[in-house]
Amino acid sequence: MSAPVVLITGGAAGIGLAIAARALARGAKVWLWDRDADALHAARTVWGGDVRTAEVDLADPDAILRAETRLAELPPTHLVNNAGILGQPMALDAMQADEIQRVLAINVTGTLLASAAFLRARAAHPQAAIVNMSSIAGTNGGAPGHAVYGASKAALLALTSAMARDLAPGIRVNALAPGIIDTEIQKSVFASRAALEATAQGIPLGRLGTPDEVAEAAEWLLFAAAYVTGETMRVGGGRK
Ligand SMILES: NC(=O)c1ccc[n+]([C@@H]2O[C@H](COP(=O)([O-])OP(=O)(O)OC[C@H]3O[C@@H](n4cnc5c(N)ncnc54)[C@H](O)[C@@H]3O)[C@@H](O)[C@H]2O)c1
């Protein structure tokens, strides 16, 4: 069986980077699509030729098409739709159309367009799989002020069901729903480290999750889990 090639959006930091590390450790090659050129450069420096990168803003459909043409260099066999943003907090009676559009453009439209690009450019693989990065916010609505984020992550749960149905039997499609994971994204939710740690006390397992703990679940859904498709796996330390 040929080595998998995993395309990871938002793969230059946080959870996406941890998934890349696990994929590389098991002999896969990796494509990282991210808007952060410096972080992409750092990943290439650390990992060398097993990593290809493209600077892509998932909110820009033309940039996705340009990056798709480069996939012919090394066609991907697996996809992780990981890129996502939280957006600015907004009260329900003070919604800003621009900010709603910005979050949905990356989290939902970007995921749909990256998936389409992957499906056109991919090489068939006997273990082909897609993982969509949702969140526990997709079912609990998200932190106060972040209803748009929650709605965008709920959309990914519906998309996972649609993709799993339409892409079977050739490609398994599952979602991950992380809880509170210790990455940059959480720094904009919590005013201080102390506030974040206080929230952690309310998590049944008593602490935040790590990017690698989400990556471990992604690795299983991507490369094992042969009879699992259309499912959502929470990685939230018991928090729902
Ligand atoms: N950290 C958490 O607690 C948590 C919980 C649930 C779900 N998630 C989801 O996991 C995914 C990864 O989150 P993270 O915590 O690793 O975040 P992060 O901010 O640490 O990393 C996100 C990565 O995505 C990239 N990115 C952001 N917007 C992009 C765009 N428009 N185009 C291309 N790349 C873009 C960033 O440059 C960065 O490399 C997100 O979809 C997030 O919603 C995170």
Side-chain angles (χ1 to χ4, degrees):
M1 199 188 307
S2 61
V5 178
V6 188
L7 169 58
I8 306 170
T9 69
I15 293 169
L17 191 66
I19 295 170
R22 279 190 171 257
L24 289 161
R26 56 183 295 135
K29 295 185 188 307
V30 164
W31 269 106
L32 303 179
W33 280 7
D34 205 288
R35 65 180 174 187
D36 185 338
D38 291 342
L40 289 173
H41 181 261
R44 283 197 308 275
T45 304
V46 170
W47 283 319
D50 287 341
V51 175
R52 312 244 172 152
T53 65
E55 192 180 335
V56 187
D57 182 348
L58 267 287
D60 178 352
D62 291 334
I64 294 174
L65 287 176
R66 283 194 298 276
E68 178 187 341
T69 62
R70 285 200 49 211
L71 293 178
E73 291 170 25
L74 183 68
T77 60
H78 293 62
L79 170 66
V80 183
N81 280 312
N82 169 76
I85 61 163
L86 186 63
Q88 297 300 317
M90 288 184 289
L92 289 170
D93 60 0
M95 286 283 158
Q96 301 290 325
D98 287 356
E99 185 60 7
I100 296 170
Q101 292 303 335
R102 191 173 76 92
V103 174
L104 297 182
I106 296 169
N107 295 9
V108 181
T109 310
T111 296
L112 288 161
L113 295 180
S115 299
F118 166 80
L119 291 170
R120 289 188 292 261
R122 80 185 182 103
H125 190 279
Q127 295 178 330
I130 297 173
V131 169
N132 293 324
M133 200 59 68
S134 179
S135 166
I136 59 169
T139 47
N140 73 16
H146 290 289
V148 179
Y149 178 77
S152 75
K153 293 301 183 179
L156 296 193
L157 299 180
L159 179 62
T160 299
S161 298
M163 292 170 86
R165 179 196 61 219
D166 293 352
L167 299 175
I171 310 176
R172 293 180 303 100
V173 186
N174 292 289
L176 279 172
I180 304 181
I181 311 301
D182 200 358
T183 69
E184 283 298 313
I185 217 171
Q186 291 299 348
K187 293 192 178 139
S188 49
V189 180
F190 296 97
S192 65
R193 191 76 203 174
L196 198 150
E197 295 297 341
T199 298
Q201 300 311 310
I203 298 171
L205 290 186
R207 63 173 177 82
L208 307 189
T210 67
D212 185 61
E213 286 169 330
V214 181
E216 182 181 26
E219 184 180 9
W220 182 72
L221 289 173
L222 284 170
F223 303 117
Y227 201 55
V228 180
T229 195
E231 300 293 342
T232 300
M233 185 193 291
R234 284 196 193 96
V235 185
R239 186 181 171 100
K240 295 194 164 76

